[in-house]
Amino acid sequence: MNTYMENRFLFKFHGAAKEVGRSCIEICATGPEGPARILLDAGLKITEDREFFDDYPTEIDRPDEIDAVFLSHAHLDHTGALPFLNHMGLECPILCNSLTKEVAKLLLMDSLKIELLEKHSSVYNKNNITRVMDLIRPISMYQKDHIKGIWYKFYDAGHIPGSTCIVLEINGKRILYTGDVNHIETNLLHGSNEKFNNIDIMICESTYGDREHPNRESEEKRFLDTIQRTIEDGGSVLVPAFAVGRAQEVLMMLSKRHFGVPIYLDGMAKKVTKLYMQNGASLKDASALEKAWSGAIPIGGWQDRKEVVKQQAIIVTTSGMMDGGPVIEYARHHYFETKNLIVLTGYQAEGCNGRMLLEEGTLKLNEDVVKVRCKVEKFDFSAHSGCAQLKTMIKNIKPKVLILQHGEEKSIKNLASWCDFSEVHTPDIDEEIEVIM
Ligand SMILES: [Zn+2]
């Protein structure tokens, strides 16, 4: 009897194909329980003008017939489309860990609030977010289980607390989805140290597929030295930071020195930091984050802010790209003093306020575009592996098929031309890739 069975997998890229944003990969396969359709992540692309069709993954046929969604982590570019998809009929189990669920809930609520503020309407509403939360089946790291005949197991991705790589097994064929992955040790996390065996198909992020990060330790020293000099010269420091992961990393670095001025924390980072402290097991050193938190003063609201801007201080606040949130109010009191400093600590997307600050020395503060007179510095505290680490990971895994996504075209091209041991795919948006094995 011939026991050999041919497996056919179809991968459809509804986002994050030669771009960063709106991660959403559909897999169609036939497992032991019949045909199945699943999604890996369901994210949003935050574009400057938030044009409707650019924001969401491209059209998914019959969302009501999707069997399961697997979430790698809470960032909106991996979860932000869930309420919209629920509005379009998605009603299946959503699998992720409980920390990802809690942080995603905060981010989705905030995203809806911003959408309503900016566009005065939204295709979905609060009920869709509530429904998405009800659909989530919390799973634990390293717990092996199955849904519709598809086995799955989540591994540590080292990107933000709770972030995961996901391994799926269908008819004995193993698919690895890296999600966003980081192998570099930070103050917040150890960095991923996972070993994956017998991977047939690897879907790999490629954010830094063509470049390396500076040495983490020397970057941290440069960061602290720059802030210290500003404080000694009588200036204040404004640190715009992403609420999820980056703000906590910044606080932990700041807690290593005594600056002699208050450190304030504002924006959604406060809630996220509390969630992380409640989930200490997902951190490298929970007590270090607690120490950093106790060394910072949380800002309650507008009354507090009015007082804070009158003092010499270090202010850590959202949003990381300076496109909204309390950072705008602080910047209005900060930009014209030459002794002050603005410290950018993360990726600044094309068209965002932080990018304009770096490239043109100007900032859009509400309706006014102003020439910035204070000092501006940029640091690289990325939560993504650099090119060398991505290559090491791919080389160690040696998948039969490598699919490169979640990166700009030049990053993906660089990795694709380097990899000579796998069948490499670099999908375009909406492209379908068929793998038969
Ligand atoms: Zn991410």
Side-chain angles (χ1 to χ4, degrees):
M1 194 177 80
N2 183 10
T3 54
Y4 176 77
M5 242 184 61
E6 201 174 61
N7 279 295
R8 179 177 174 270
F9 301 99
L10 197 63
F11 299 88
K12 296 186 196 176
F13 288 81
H14 297 289
K18 294 184 182 145
E19 65 179 348
V20 175
R22 56 173 174 170
S23 283
C24 188
I25 304 159
E26 181 180 343
I27 305 180
C28 307
T30 301
E33 293 178 24
R37 285 175 69 210
I38 61 161
L39 295 181
L40 299 173
D41 287 333
L44 198 66
K45 184 164 183 171
I46 315 285
T47 52
E48 196 203 0
D49 47 7
R50 292 178 76 96
E51 280 288 333
F52 178 85
F53 287 108
D54 242 356
D55 277 351
Y56 290 105
T58 57
E59 194 178 337
I60 295 167
D61 187 36
R62 298 297 303 260
D64 57 318
E65 290 179 357
I66 297 287
D67 295 297
V69 181
F70 293 83
L71 297 182
S72 63
H73 65 290
H75 276 149
L76 279 179
D77 60 326
H78 296 257
T79 60
L82 285 169
F84 169 73
L85 288 177
N86 174 249
H87 166 78
M88 300 298 282
L90 183 112
E91 273 291 335
C92 64
I94 300 169
L95 293 94
C96 67
N97 60 44
S98 55
L99 180 54
T100 295
K101 176 182 175 176
E102 292 306 319
V103 177
K105 186 178 174 185
L106 278 181
L107 293 177
L108 291 173
M109 286 296 192
D110 190 59
S111 177
L112 176 63
K113 200 172 86 184
I114 293 169
E115 187 139 327
L116 291 174
L117 267 176
E118 287 182 356
K119 295 202 296 204
H120 308 291
S121 71
S122 167
V123 258
Y124 64 89
N125 60 38
K126 224 174 170 173
N127 294 337
N128 296 111
I129 299 179
T130 307
R131 183 65 191 141
V132 163
M133 290 301 130
D134 289 344
L135 289 170
I136 290 182
R137 280 193 201 168
I139 50 98
S140 310
M141 206 77 96
Y142 308 118
Q143 164 199 334
K144 195 172 176 184
D145 209 337
H146 63 93
I147 185 164
K148 254 222 131 185
I150 299 171
W151 287 91
Y152 59 82
K153 194 169 170 181
F154 287 60
Y155 294 82
D156 177 24
H159 170 62
I160 56 168
S163 65
T164 52
C165 303
I166 303 166
V167 172
L168 304 174
E169 208 172 302
I170 308 171
N171 297 330
K173 300 294 174 194
R174 283 161 59 80
I175 301 168
L176 165 65
Y177 173 53
T178 63
D180 289 359
V181 68
N182 190 16
H183 296 85
I184 308 160
E185 186 176 356
T186 62
N187 290 286
L188 198 56
L189 296 172
H190 285 291
S192 179
N193 192 25
E194 303 287 5
K195 307 271 178 283
F196 298 103
N197 299 317
N198 304 319
I199 297 298
D200 296 289
I201 302 167
M202 177 179 184
I203 306 168
C204 188
E205 75 124 309
S206 319
T207 320
Y208 286 83
D210 65 337
R211 57 204 192 278
E212 303 295 346
H213 300 300
N215 174 277
R216 192 67 181 60
E217 266 172 51
S218 40
E219 194 70 348
E220 180 173 315
K221 184 175 181 305
R222 188 170 74 86
F223 172 74
L224 294 174
D225 288 348
T226 308
I227 290 177
Q228 190 155 2
R229 269 198 308 275
T230 302
I231 298 297
E232 284 167 3
D233 292 345
S236 282
V237 181
L238 181 58
V239 190
F242 305 116
V244 178
R246 193 59 41 83
Q248 294 76 28
E249 181 70 15
V250 164
L251 282 186
M252 290 170 93
M253 289 191 282
L254 291 174
S255 72
K256 293 179 184 179
R257 280 210 194 158
H258 184 69
F259 294 102
V261 298
I263 298 171
Y264 292 105
L265 180 66
D266 203 349
M268 203 184 21
K270 292 174 289 182
K271 281 186 186 166
V272 177
T273 308
K274 283 184 195 162
L275 268 178
Y276 284 174
M277 288 190 297
Q278 288 159 13
N279 290 270
S282 61
L283 308 174
K284 181 173 91 177
D285 181 355
S287 63
L289 181 60
E290 276 160 24
K291 180 185 163 223
W293 168 259
S294 64
I297 305 162
I299 296 297
W302 291 107
Q303 222 44 42
D304 283 359
R305 282 173 202 145
K306 272 190 206 157
E307 292 306 311
V308 166
V309 295
K310 294 178 192 160
Q311 311 164 17
Q312 191 190 15
I314 300 168
I315 303 158
V316 181
T317 182
T318 51
S319 74
M321 295 193 200
M322 303 191 76
D323 271 340
V327 71
I328 300 296
E329 187 54 24
Y330 291 115
R332 284 200 321 115
H333 291 87
H334 194 88
Y335 75 91
F336 48 83
E337 279 282 2
T338 50
K339 63 183 178 190
N340 287 345
L341 169 70
I342 297 177
V343 181
L344 297 167
T345 58
Y347 175 68
Q348 303 296 319
E350 197 86 48
C352 79
N353 221 358
R355 183 78 161 249
M356 191 165 85
L357 175 63
L358 282 173
E359 289 177 353
E360 293 160 36
T362 55
L363 267 182
K364 192 169 174 227
L365 301 176
N366 300 328
E367 291 313 307
D368 312 316
V369 175
V370 299
K371 187 85 193 148
V372 170
R373 297 185 64 212
C374 71
K375 289 167 283 179
V376 179
E377 290 281 345
K378 163 103 166 67
F379 295 86
D380 179 344
F381 297 124
S382 171
H384 292 267
S385 287
C387 183
Q389 287 120 11
L390 287 175
K391 285 179 176 174
T392 303
M393 175 177 61
I394 296 168
K395 209 159 60 187
N396 287 340
I397 292 170
K398 276 207 171 57
K400 292 190 186 82
V401 175
L402 173 67
I403 303 175
L404 296 167
Q405 47 90 55
H406 196 291
E408 301 296 337
E409 190 162 4
K410 57 184 191 318
S411 303
I412 286 175
K413 266 190 179 159
N414 185 54
L415 283 179
S417 61
W418 159 81
C419 181
D420 57 5
F421 47 81
S422 301
E423 175 189 322
V424 182
H425 294 270
T426 60
D428 287 307
I429 197 84
D430 264 343
E431 187 175 334
E432 295 185 2
I433 293 174
E434 186 185 54
V435 176
I436 295 173
M437 51 177 41

mmCIF file with all atom_site columns, all heavy atoms in Angstrom, residues 366-377:
data_model
loop_
_atom_site.group_PDB
_atom_site.id
_atom_site.type_symbol
_atom_site.label_atom_id
_atom_site.label_alt_id
_atom_site.label_comp_id
_atom_site.label_asym_id
_atom_site.label_entity_id
_atom_site.label_seq_id
_atom_site.pdbx_PDB_ins_code
_atom_site.Cartn_x
_atom_site.Cartn_y
_atom_site.Cartn_z
_atom_site.occupancy
_atom_site.B_iso_or_equiv
_atom_site.pdbx_formal_charge
_atom_site.auth_seq_id
_atom_site.auth_comp_id
_atom_site.auth_asym_id
_atom_site.auth_atom_id
_atom_site.pdbx_PDB_model_num
ATOM 1  N N   . ASN A 1 366 ? 0.229  70.263 16.728 1.00 0.00 ? 366 ASN A N   1
ATOM 2  C CA  . ASN A 1 366 ? -1.159 70.574 16.380 1.00 0.00 ? 366 ASN A CA  1
ATOM 3  C C   . ASN A 1 366 ? -1.180 71.103 14.944 1.00 0.00 ? 366 ASN A C   1
ATOM 4  O O   . ASN A 1 366 ? -0.763 70.402 14.054 1.00 0.00 ? 366 ASN A O   1
ATOM 5  C CB  . ASN A 1 366 ? -1.783 71.519 17.404 1.00 0.00 ? 366 ASN A CB  1
ATOM 6  C CG  . ASN A 1 366 ? -1.756 70.881 18.794 1.00 0.00 ? 366 ASN A CG  1
ATOM 7  O OD1 . ASN A 1 366 ? -1.860 69.664 18.923 1.00 0.00 ? 366 ASN A OD1 1
ATOM 8  N ND2 . ASN A 1 366 ? -1.586 71.686 19.817 1.00 0.00 ? 366 ASN A ND2 1
ATOM 9  N N   . GLU A 1 367 ? -1.560 72.366 14.722 1.00 0.00 ? 367 GLU A N   1
ATOM 10 C CA  . GLU A 1 367 ? -1.646 72.834 13.332 1.00 0.00 ? 367 GLU A CA  1
ATOM 11 C C   . GLU A 1 367 ? -0.358 73.510 12.844 1.00 0.00 ? 367 GLU A C   1
ATOM 12 O O   . GLU A 1 367 ? -0.173 73.713 11.656 1.00 0.00 ? 367 GLU A O   1
ATOM 13 C CB  . GLU A 1 367 ? -2.832 73.802 13.174 1.00 0.00 ? 367 GLU A CB  1
ATOM 14 C CG  . GLU A 1 367 ? -4.197 73.133 13.313 1.00 0.00 ? 367 GLU A CG  1
ATOM 15 C CD  . GLU A 1 367 ? -4.321 71.833 12.512 1.00 0.00 ? 367 GLU A CD  1
ATOM 16 O OE1 . GLU A 1 367 ? -4.048 71.845 11.292 1.00 0.00 ? 367 GLU A OE1 1
ATOM 17 O OE2 . GLU A 1 367 ? -4.666 70.792 13.114 1.00 0.00 ? 367 GLU A OE2 1
ATOM 18 N N   . ASP A 1 368 ? 0.540  73.858 13.776 1.00 0.00 ? 368 ASP A N   1
ATOM 19 C CA  . ASP A 1 368 ? 1.727  74.631 13.392 1.00 0.00 ? 368 ASP A CA  1
ATOM 20 C C   . ASP A 1 368 ? 2.922  73.732 13.099 1.00 0.00 ? 368 ASP A C   1
ATOM 21 O O   . ASP A 1 368 ? 3.161  72.763 13.798 1.00 0.00 ? 368 ASP A O   1
ATOM 22 C CB  . ASP A 1 368 ? 2.131  75.587 14.531 1.00 0.00 ? 368 ASP A CB  1
ATOM 23 C CG  . ASP A 1 368 ? 0.945  76.368 15.054 1.00 0.00 ? 368 ASP A CG  1
ATOM 24 O OD1 . ASP A 1 368 ? 0.164  76.844 14.216 1.00 0.00 ? 368 ASP A OD1 1
ATOM 25 O OD2 . ASP A 1 368 ? 0.803  76.475 16.296 1.00 0.00 ? 368 ASP A OD2 1
ATOM 26 N N   . VAL A 1 369 ? 3.687  74.109 12.055 1.00 0.00 ? 369 VAL A N   1
ATOM 27 C CA  . VAL A 1 369 ? 4.979  73.457 11.832 1.00 0.00 ? 369 VAL A CA  1
ATOM 28 C C   . VAL A 1 369 ? 6.048  74.414 12.350 1.00 0.00 ? 369 VAL A C   1
ATOM 29 O O   . VAL A 1 369 ? 6.121  75.564 11.923 1.00 0.00 ? 369 VAL A O   1
ATOM 30 C CB  . VAL A 1 369 ? 5.194  73.150 10.339 1.00 0.00 ? 369 VAL A CB  1
ATOM 31 C CG1 . VAL A 1 369 ? 6.592  72.580 10.113 1.00 0.00 ? 369 VAL A CG1 1
ATOM 32 C CG2 . VAL A 1 369 ? 4.141  72.161 9.848  1.00 0.00 ? 369 VAL A CG2 1
ATOM 33 N N   . VAL A 1 370 ? 6.849  73.940 13.312 1.00 0.00 ? 370 VAL A N   1
ATOM 34 C CA  . VAL A 1 370 ? 7.824  74.834 13.947 1.00 0.00 ? 370 VAL A CA  1
ATOM 35 C C   . VAL A 1 370 ? 9.247  74.360 13.672 1.00 0.00 ? 370 VAL A C   1
ATOM 36 O O   . VAL A 1 370 ? 9.502  73.165 13.487 1.00 0.00 ? 370 VAL A O   1
ATOM 37 C CB  . VAL A 1 370 ? 7.603  74.913 15.479 1.00 0.00 ? 370 VAL A CB  1
ATOM 38 C CG1 . VAL A 1 370 ? 6.227  75.465 15.791 1.00 0.00 ? 370 VAL A CG1 1
ATOM 39 C CG2 . VAL A 1 370 ? 7.810  73.555 16.139 1.00 0.00 ? 370 VAL A CG2 1
ATOM 40 N N   . LYS A 1 371 ? 10.165 75.324 13.627 1.00 0.00 ? 371 LYS A N   1
ATOM 41 C CA  . LYS A 1 371 ? 11.589 75.025 13.495 1.00 0.00 ? 371 LYS A CA  1
ATOM 42 C C   . LYS A 1 371 ? 12.108 74.695 14.894 1.00 0.00 ? 371 LYS A C   1
ATOM 43 O O   . LYS A 1 371 ? 11.956 75.490 15.819 1.00 0.00 ? 371 LYS A O   1
ATOM 44 C CB  . LYS A 1 371 ? 12.301 76.271 12.926 1.00 0.00 ? 371 LYS A CB  1
ATOM 45 C CG  . LYS A 1 371 ? 13.742 76.048 12.581 1.00 0.00 ? 371 LYS A CG  1
ATOM 46 C CD  . LYS A 1 371 ? 13.901 75.468 11.187 1.00 0.00 ? 371 LYS A CD  1
ATOM 47 C CE  . LYS A 1 371 ? 15.312 74.947 10.980 1.00 0.00 ? 371 LYS A CE  1
ATOM 48 N NZ  . LYS A 1 371 ? 15.383 73.802 10.088 1.00 0.00 ? 371 LYS A NZ  1
ATOM 49 N N   . VAL A 1 372 ? 12.707 73.528 15.036 1.00 0.00 ? 372 VAL A N   1
ATOM 50 C CA  . VAL A 1 372 ? 13.125 73.082 16.365 1.00 0.00 ? 372 VAL A CA  1
ATOM 51 C C   . VAL A 1 372 ? 14.516 73.618 16.693 1.00 0.00 ? 372 VAL A C   1
ATOM 52 O O   . VAL A 1 372 ? 15.440 73.506 15.890 1.00 0.00 ? 372 VAL A O   1
ATOM 53 C CB  . VAL A 1 372 ? 13.103 71.536 16.422 1.00 0.00 ? 372 VAL A CB  1
ATOM 54 C CG1 . VAL A 1 372 ? 13.751 71.027 17.693 1.00 0.00 ? 372 VAL A CG1 1
ATOM 55 C CG2 . VAL A 1 372 ? 11.664 71.045 16.340 1.00 0.00 ? 372 VAL A CG2 1
ATOM 56 N N   . ARG A 1 373 ? 14.660 74.205 17.869 1.00 0.00 ? 373 ARG A N   1
ATOM 57 C CA  . ARG A 1 373 ? 15.947 74.791 18.252 1.00 0.00 ? 373 ARG A CA  1
ATOM 58 C C   . ARG A 1 373 ? 16.689 73.924 19.272 1.00 0.00 ? 373 ARG A C   1
ATOM 59 O O   . ARG A 1 373 ? 17.885 74.092 19.473 1.00 0.00 ? 373 ARG A O   1
ATOM 60 C CB  . ARG A 1 373 ? 15.728 76.197 18.816 1.00 0.00 ? 373 ARG A CB  1
ATOM 61 C CG  . ARG A 1 373 ? 15.138 77.157 17.766 1.00 0.00 ? 373 ARG A CG  1
ATOM 62 C CD  . ARG A 1 373 ? 15.037 78.572 18.299 1.00 0.00 ? 373 ARG A CD  1
ATOM 63 N NE  . ARG A 1 373 ? 16.360 79.128 18.594 1.00 0.00 ? 373 ARG A NE  1
ATOM 64 C CZ  . ARG A 1 373 ? 16.593 80.006 19.561 1.00 0.00 ? 373 ARG A CZ  1
ATOM 65 N NH1 . ARG A 1 373 ? 15.618 80.418 20.325 1.00 0.00 ? 373 ARG A NH1 1
ATOM 66 N NH2 . ARG A 1 373 ? 17.814 80.473 19.765 1.00 0.00 ? 373 ARG A NH2 1
ATOM 67 N N   . CYS A 1 374 ? 15.992 73.022 19.939 1.00 0.00 ? 374 CYS A N   1
ATOM 68 C CA  . CYS A 1 374 ? 16.679 72.181 20.923 1.00 0.00 ? 374 CYS A CA  1
ATOM 69 C C   . CYS A 1 374 ? 17.485 71.095 20.205 1.00 0.00 ? 374 CYS A C   1
ATOM 70 O O   . CYS A 1 374 ? 17.355 70.906 19.000 1.00 0.00 ? 374 CYS A O   1
ATOM 71 C CB  . CYS A 1 374 ? 15.678 71.554 21.895 1.00 0.00 ? 374 CYS A CB  1
ATOM 72 S SG  . CYS A 1 374 ? 14.645 70.282 21.171 1.00 0.00 ? 374 CYS A SG  1
ATOM 73 N N   . LYS A 1 375 ? 18.329 70.384 20.983 1.00 0.00 ? 375 LYS A N   1
ATOM 74 C CA  . LYS A 1 375 ? 19.132 69.318 20.389 1.00 0.00 ? 375 LYS A CA  1
ATOM 75 C C   . LYS A 1 375 ? 18.249 68.091 20.116 1.00 0.00 ? 375 LYS A C   1
ATOM 76 O O   . LYS A 1 375 ? 17.264 67.860 20.827 1.00 0.00 ? 375 LYS A O   1
ATOM 77 C CB  . LYS A 1 375 ? 20.265 68.918 21.347 1.00 0.00 ? 375 LYS A CB  1
ATOM 78 C CG  . LYS A 1 375 ? 21.361 69.968 21.470 1.00 0.00 ? 375 LYS A CG  1
ATOM 79 C CD  . LYS A 1 375 ? 22.275 69.670 22.632 1.00 0.00 ? 375 LYS A CD  1
ATOM 80 C CE  . LYS A 1 375 ? 21.604 70.061 23.941 1.00 0.00 ? 375 LYS A CE  1
ATOM 81 N NZ  . LYS A 1 375 ? 22.331 69.823 25.151 1.00 0.00 ? 375 LYS A NZ  1
ATOM 82 N N   . VAL A 1 376 ? 18.625 67.333 19.094 1.00 0.00 ? 376 VAL A N   1
ATOM 83 C CA  . VAL A 1 376 ? 17.875 66.119 18.764 1.00 0.00 ? 376 VAL A CA  1
ATOM 84 C C   . VAL A 1 376 ? 18.869 64.982 18.565 1.00 0.00 ? 376 VAL A C   1
ATOM 85 O O   . VAL A 1 376 ? 19.867 65.145 17.862 1.00 0.00 ? 376 VAL A O   1
ATOM 86 C CB  . VAL A 1 376 ? 17.058 66.304 17.462 1.00 0.00 ? 376 VAL A CB  1
ATOM 87 C CG1 . VAL A 1 376 ? 16.306 65.026 17.115 1.00 0.00 ? 376 VAL A CG1 1
ATOM 88 C CG2 . VAL A 1 376 ? 16.085 67.471 17.588 1.00 0.00 ? 376 VAL A CG2 1
ATOM 89 N N   . GLU A 1 377 ? 18.631 63.858 19.213 1.00 0.00 ? 377 GLU A N   1
ATOM 90 C CA  . GLU A 1 377 ? 19.507 62.693 19.040 1.00 0.00 ? 377 GLU A CA  1
ATOM 91 C C   . GLU A 1 377 ? 18.660 61.456 18.782 1.00 0.00 ? 377 GLU A C   1
ATOM 92 O O   . GLU A 1 377 ? 17.548 61.343 19.294 1.00 0.00 ? 377 GLU A O   1
ATOM 93 C CB  . GLU A 1 377 ? 20.348 62.456 20.305 1.00 0.00 ? 377 GLU A CB  1
ATOM 94 C CG  . GLU A 1 377 ? 21.422 63.494 20.560 1.00 0.00 ? 377 GLU A CG  1
ATOM 95 C CD  . GLU A 1 377 ? 22.681 63.299 19.715 1.00 0.00 ? 377 GLU A CD  1
ATOM 96 O OE1 . GLU A 1 377 ? 22.844 62.205 19.129 1.00 0.00 ? 377 GLU A OE1 1
ATOM 97 O OE2 . GLU A 1 377 ? 23.491 64.241 19.648 1.00 0.00 ? 377 GLU A OE2 1
#
